[in-house]
Amino acid sequence: TGIDGIPRSIGLIQPAFLFLLIATSRWLVKKWLGTDFSNKINDDNKIRILIYGSGKAGQQLASSLSLSNEFKLISFIDDNKSFWSGTIDGYSVNPPSSISNLIKSKGVKQLWLAIPNLSGKKRQKLINSLRQYSVHVRTLPTISDLVSGKVRLSDLRELNINELLNREAVVPNNIL
């Protein structure tokens, strides 16, 4: 049984060759679209942030961010000149003067203050200097608030009005 001029082994070779061709093409498409493309899509959906402060608190915050699917760390910002143009865990450390450029070029939406032991006046001065940028500012609790001693993403909180005003809250007088 067979067709004249066509060897019988072609009935085995042709399906095997077709299977290898289809499997290879699917593997190449999966490799091309599966890793690079999905990583790029996932990175585009993440909220881009800067961490102001590259000390222990900033480093712990950055390590917590590596597990997050919601945020993407762009860079550290620090006042200390010795840290500038260096890297921490692969992220660059930039001076405060580069904040505007990073916000515009990288699409940064949030800036997180990772300096928990900063005094009230210095914190107020820093917050005032950040008002000119169109980013959402979040801060870590103070050292006295950090009982566990570890900084996590859940430790971040919104700035409260007392930090912005740099004074204690006045209790309203309800007696008329």
Side-chain angles (χ1 to χ4, degrees), residues 38-122:
S38 67
N39 287 343
K40 179 154 178 53
I41 288 173
N42 289 340
D43 281 350
D44 289 345
N45 293 334
K46 291 182 179 180
I47 298 171
R48 297 167 181 261
I49 65 160
L50 296 174
I51 295 179
Y52 198 111
S54 59
K56 291 282 185 195
Q59 291 173 20
Q60 289 176 349
L61 190 57
S63 68
S64 295
L65 272 176
S66 65
L67 304 173
S68 171
N69 291 327
E70 188 178 352
F71 301 104
K72 180 181 181 191
L73 177 60
I74 301 299
S75 177
F76 286 99
I77 305 294
D78 205 295
D79 294 331
N80 191 342
K81 292 181 182 181
S82 63
F83 292 140
W84 297 353
S85 71
T87 60
I88 297 174
D89 293 333
Y91 298 105
S92 63
V93 181
N94 296 301
S97 60
S98 67
I99 293 175
S100 178
N101 185 33
L102 287 170
I103 289 171
K104 290 177 186 172
S105 64
K106 303 290 185 180
V108 173
K109 299 293 182 201
Q110 293 188 14
L111 190 140
W112 293 355
L113 298 177
I115 313 172
N117 59 349
L118 196 62
S119 68
K121 289 190 180 218
K122 288 183 179 179

Side-chain angles (χ1 to χ4, degrees), residues 7-23:
R8 286 182 290 178
S9 61
I10 199 72
L12 297 174
I13 294 173
Q14 190 269 339
F17 180 72
L18 186 62
F19 174 75
L20 285 175
L21 185 67
I22 291 172

